[in-house]
Amino acid sequence: MKLKVIAGIALCVCLSQQAAADGYFLQADLGGQTQGLVAASSTGAISYGFNAVKYEGGRAGAISVTHAWPLGDIATIKAGPTIGFEREDGQGTDIAGGAKASIERYSPSSFGATYVLADFSTVNDSWFLLTQATFQAPGVSVELSRGGSNSYHETTVALQKNLSDSPVKLRLGYKVSSEELFAGIAVNTF
């Protein structure tokens, strides 16, 4: 098993090249029961990430540093260390280190673009899946995501609207598991 992991990492390093997109991403969503914040920035092949969620019954979050390996025009794989925390109401805070890996694909299209992300972490066994379609003419994006950990799971449907030609988007959506509407804002310079 270790040999397969080492061979896979070696293959990724051999195929690696400079990541194409430098920039940052910020997103904050506010609902009656859950609030979430995501921040990410990339410079070259290195990305830094932060996420936090406050939900009914607790809080969870993580920070990470990952290295990107583009797989040609197919996708980009990112992997690196992460530190996460989890706190149930009335309990202490659990802090743990681990590894994070993700695969993402951005595809320009005739109508705008599509984006797909799958993100996995050993900390709290967390995972996140997202698919998004952006329609350039009206400046609207439709997003569907599902994520979870040892203690929290959520499915989200959201609409985003660009504010003129800026990287700022207003968000409105519904959290299926929490059964709540939310509003938010996102800034994306990638």
Side-chain angles (χ1 to χ4, degrees), residues 80-84 96-101 119-127 150:
T82 185
I83 298 173
K100 175 181 177 172
D119 187 284
F120 306 95
S121 173
T122 61
V123 175
N124 301 323
D125 294 326
S126 64
W127 54 275
N150 290 335

Side-chain angles (χ1 to χ4, degrees), residues 15-123:
L15 294 173
S16 71
Q17 50 186 292
Q18 183 83 355
D22 289 351
Y24 65 90
F25 173 79
L26 299 169
Q27 179 178 297
D29 290 335
L30 302 173
Q33 299 176 54
T34 58
Q35 296 82 42
L37 177 66
V38 177
S41 68
S42 292
T43 303
I46 304 298
S47 294
Y48 306 92
F50 170 81
N51 67 70
V53 62
K54 181 182 179 296
Y55 52 92
E56 189 172 347
R59 297 172 175 84
I63 58 171
S64 63
V65 178
T66 57
H67 187 280
W69 292 279
L71 298 176
D73 293 334
I74 299 169
T76 299
I77 294 174
K78 294 181 181 179
T82 185
I83 298 173
F85 74 90
E86 189 170 38
R87 180 179 179 192
E88 297 299 317
D89 289 348
Q91 305 292 319
T93 302
D94 293 327
I95 299 174
K100 175 181 177 172
S102 65
I103 185 166
E104 62 185 321
R105 178 181 169 88
Y106 173 83
S107 301
S109 68
S110 59
F111 60 82
T114 59
Y115 178 71
V116 178
L117 169 70
D119 187 284
F120 306 95
S121 173
T122 61
V123 175

Side-chain angles (χ1 to χ4, degrees), residues 105 114-118 128-134 141-146 156 158:
R105 178 181 169 88
T114 59
Y115 178 71
V116 178
L117 169 70
F128 181 73
L129 305 171
L130 176 138
T131 184
Q132 184 180 74
T134 301
S141 299
V142 178
E143 175 184 302
L144 175 63
S145 66
R146 173 82 175 148
T156 303

